[in-house]
Amino acid sequence: MNTPAKENYFFQKIVVIVGSALFIMKIVAWQLTQSVAILTDTLESISNVAAGLFSLYSLYISSKPKDRDHPYGHGKIEFISAGIEGSLITVAGILIIYKSVSDIFHVQVIRKLDYGIVLIVIAGLVNYVLGVGAVKKGKKNKSLALISGGEHLKTDTYSTIGLVIGLFVMYVFKIYWLDSIIALIFSLIIIFTGVKIIRKSLAGIMDEADEELITQLVDILNKNRNPNWIDIHNVRFIKYGSSLHLDCHLTLPWYFNLREAHKELDKLNKIIVDNFGNSFEMFVHVDDCREVISCKICKKDSCPYRKYLFDNEIKWTKENIQIDKHHKLDK
């Protein structure tokens, strides 16, 4: 049975093979046309192939099981891979700007543009299909490497649409100086994409809170709220490649024995696994309820030790579940 990590690795192999074939196709298109706009697309494909190889290696490393030296696994290498990919894309964009500005003053002779347009359209369609598949597989298996690579391929397709429109205008109206302007515009788009990927990889390396994950978690907890779960706070959701790690404090009735408390943790674990998959670890610190602040927010009707009447339920939000203290009513 394939694990998510192995599935990611196999899919990335496909991405690298197809990406290499598309790179060759774009080289042919550039050689046929001598268009700097098509060269823009070609240079970006170099970064696609290089980044794909880095991602393939990172997915191979991250698929290795945990060991004594890496108790949290090897998944964080995916963040490094994404950072390298973003850097390569940014550098490619800068090189294209240089080439575009130079060619504005030295207009190149464009030829066989119709052949170039056809080849670029084919490459764009294949890129989009591959990108959608990579993002879908990455979200399913919680892989930043696949998601970032897939988003880049999709963005590449969107820019290809604009590129094809520009090339078509050039072909119909013979406005060849437009070639450098098109290349300049799309080089800026490439740089923006690269910086965005770098930003996301740095966030993962620095264990920055994932707002999307936290929001999903809050929705799931509120929908499956158990009367015995009086409070949850100090939540930390960390992503290590395809693995997710949840740390939190869960407040339970003070009179629960170890067996009863463990049952509640099993319920919480099942809910998380059902929604986020098996590549998941949970470390929960159990707090005992405190009469003065807990009774007023506790909906457990059968509590034999209640000292205060239930007043109001505190709705868990992505802001308040991350605070490292027991929740209580303000009044």
Side-chain angles (χ1 to χ4, degrees):
M1 182 177 180
N2 286 337
T3 63
K6 287 182 179 178
E7 288 181 6
N8 296 342
Y9 182 68
F10 177 76
F11 193 91
Q12 187 60 31
K13 277 186 177 180
I14 297 174
V15 171
V16 171
I17 293 169
V18 175
S20 299
L22 293 180
F23 172 57
I24 294 171
M25 182 184 294
K26 289 179 180 180
I27 288 178
V28 172
W30 173 54
Q31 286 294 321
L32 284 173
T33 63
Q34 292 299 303
S35 164
V36 70
I38 291 178
L39 176 61
T40 302
D41 218 26
T42 306
L43 283 177
E44 187 180 14
S45 288
I46 295 176
S47 69
N48 285 350
V49 174
L53 289 170
F54 278 119
S55 295
L56 186 64
Y57 178 71
S58 74
L59 288 170
Y60 167 71
I61 296 296
S62 66
S63 67
K64 290 184 176 181
K66 300 172 187 176
D67 52 40
R68 188 174 65 180
D69 295 328
H70 304 88
Y72 288 98
H74 303 78
K76 271 208 170 182
I77 194 172
E78 292 192 25
F79 295 122
I80 299 173
S81 169
I84 292 172
E85 177 177 356
S87 300
L88 288 171
I89 293 168
T90 304
V91 170
I94 293 171
L95 290 174
I96 293 163
I97 287 176
Y98 174 79
K99 174 67 174 171
S100 302
V101 172
S102 175
D103 284 2
I104 287 176
F105 302 101
H106 305 87
V107 180
Q108 299 293 316
V109 177
I110 310 296
R111 54 178 188 262
K112 296 184 179 179
L113 201 53
D114 50 346
Y115 290 98
I117 291 173
V118 171
L119 291 175
I120 294 300
V121 167
I122 293 172
L125 289 173
V126 174
N127 255 346
Y128 185 77
V129 172
L130 199 61
V132 170
V135 171
K136 185 177 180 180
K137 180 67 71 174
K139 287 183 176 179
K140 176 186 174 185
N141 294 337
K142 310 295 185 296
S143 171
L144 177 62
L146 281 182
I147 293 173
S148 62
E151 290 292 354
H152 176 215
L153 291 174
K154 287 168 62 180
T155 302
D156 191 23
T157 304
Y158 302 145
S159 63
T160 297
I161 293 173
L163 175 63
V164 168
I165 293 172
L167 292 174
F168 185 75
V169 170
M170 285 170 53
Y171 178 70
V172 173
F173 297 101
K174 313 300 181 186
I175 312 176
Y176 295 121
W177 58 264
L178 194 60
D179 188 47
S180 295
I181 304 301
I182 295 170
L184 189 60
I185 292 171
F186 286 103
S187 64
L188 295 175
I189 296 173
I190 290 170
I191 291 173
F192 175 78
T193 302
V195 171
K196 187 177 177 181
I197 293 173
I198 292 171
R199 169 70 183 83
K200 195 168 185 178
S201 69
L202 289 175
I205 291 171
M206 297 299 293
D207 290 334
E208 183 177 306
D210 190 313
E211 294 297 321
E212 184 178 343
L213 276 179
I214 294 290
T215 300
Q216 290 178 35
L217 177 66
V218 168
D219 290 341
I220 291 164
L221 290 175
N222 280 317
K223 288 176 183 177
N224 297 275
R225 195 161 184 164
N226 188 304
N228 291 327
W229 304 346
I230 300 169
D231 188 29
I232 187 167
H233 58 279
N234 198 25
V235 172
R236 300 289 181 268
F237 220 162
I238 303 172
K239 184 187 295 182
Y240 288 97
S242 59
S243 299
L244 297 173
H245 299 264
L246 171 65
D247 298 331
C248 67
H249 288 207
L250 181 66
T251 304
L252 298 175
W254 65 264
Y255 52 86
F256 271 22
N257 60 38
L258 287 174
R259 184 171 295 174
E260 290 172 318
H262 199 276
K263 284 182 179 179
E264 296 304 320
L265 297 183
D266 285 342
K267 292 176 186 176
L268 178 60
N269 185 75
K270 185 179 186 306
I271 289 170
I272 300 297
V273 169
D274 286 347
N275 286 274
F276 290 100
N278 290 318
S279 297
F280 168 85
E281 284 185 337
M282 182 177 76
F283 299 98
V284 180
H285 173 82
V286 175
D287 288 330
D288 59 318
C289 64
R290 301 174 183 179
E291 296 171 350
V292 176
I293 63 173
S294 298
C295 284
K296 294 179 181 180
I297 64 172
C298 176
K299 296 180 68 176
K300 185 174 175 61
D301 296 328
S302 59
C303 177
Y305 299 100
R306 180 178 289 278
K307 299 295 183 181
Y308 299 90
L309 294 175
F310 169 73
D311 188 335
N312 196 12
E313 180 182 83
I314 291 181
K315 183 176 177 61
W316 294 327
T317 67
K318 68 178 182 181
E319 289 79 21
N320 67 24
I321 67 169
Q322 297 183 72
I323 298 173
D324 186 13
K325 65 178 181 179
H326 290 264
H327 295 130
K328 62 180 180 179
L329 296 177
D330 293 331
K331 56 184 178 181

